[in-house]
Amino acid sequence: MIFNKDTAKRTAELLLKINAIKLQPDEPFTWASGWKSPIYCDNRIVLSYPLIRNYIRETMAKHIENTYGKPDVIAGVATGAIGIGALVAEYLNLPFVYVRPEAKKHGRQNQIEGHISKGQTVVVVEDLISTGKSSLNAVKALKEAEVTIKGMVAIFSYGFEVAKENFEAANIVLHTLGNYESLLEQALETRYITEKQQDILAQWNANPSGWNAI
């Protein structure tokens, strides 16, 4: 769920402004999964814009404190959330670790990079939620390290039903700065898209794997 509507609309405005999110219902993208999609999101672009980067950092940090209370550690999900996670940890003056998709095959063979201790409380930072699979893979690694997960915070979520089901099954509370619904509202209000394009974008979101570009 989003923290609040104002934050969601402002986040959508900023992500559209710097093309971190692109909406192209008439010229769909092809995702790595093979899905055709009228939206593409790359929140790593945020790191290149100091004012927007600072907005995301400070807003996320304040919402973490207000919603979860200050944890012992901030954990970023590699690779997309390493940058923003480290910035949030710095703002809160907290230790930071990041979690790889899998343990390294060499060296110390770490999956969690950085120091973390059994029993510590952790808030996980993610940049983007689609199905939630990779995000929850990081949660699994942290649980195996015997820490307490207070919740997860992400910049943006597509709002897929499968993600909701996956987080509920894992018993992990997820909050995001922005979401798909607020993005479409903001895009329509600013005439980034037309009402017809909004309908197409809504149809895709309801059935992304079965959607066919028109």
Side-chain angles (χ1 to χ4, degrees), residues 47-67:
L47 300 174
S48 298
Y49 295 86
L51 291 178
I52 296 172
R53 180 181 72 206
N54 288 340
Y55 169 81
I56 298 294
R57 176 192 66 167
E58 293 173 18
T59 304
M60 187 173 282
K62 289 173 181 176
H63 279 307
I64 285 172
E65 279 199 289
N66 292 337
T67 303

Side-chain angles (χ1 to χ4, degrees), residues 186-200:
Q186 180 66 25
L188 185 62
E189 287 176 13
T190 56
R191 298 184 180 180
Y192 186 104
I193 57 173
T194 64
E195 289 187 3
K196 180 181 178 182
Q197 289 174 323
Q198 183 189 37
D199 290 340
I200 294 171

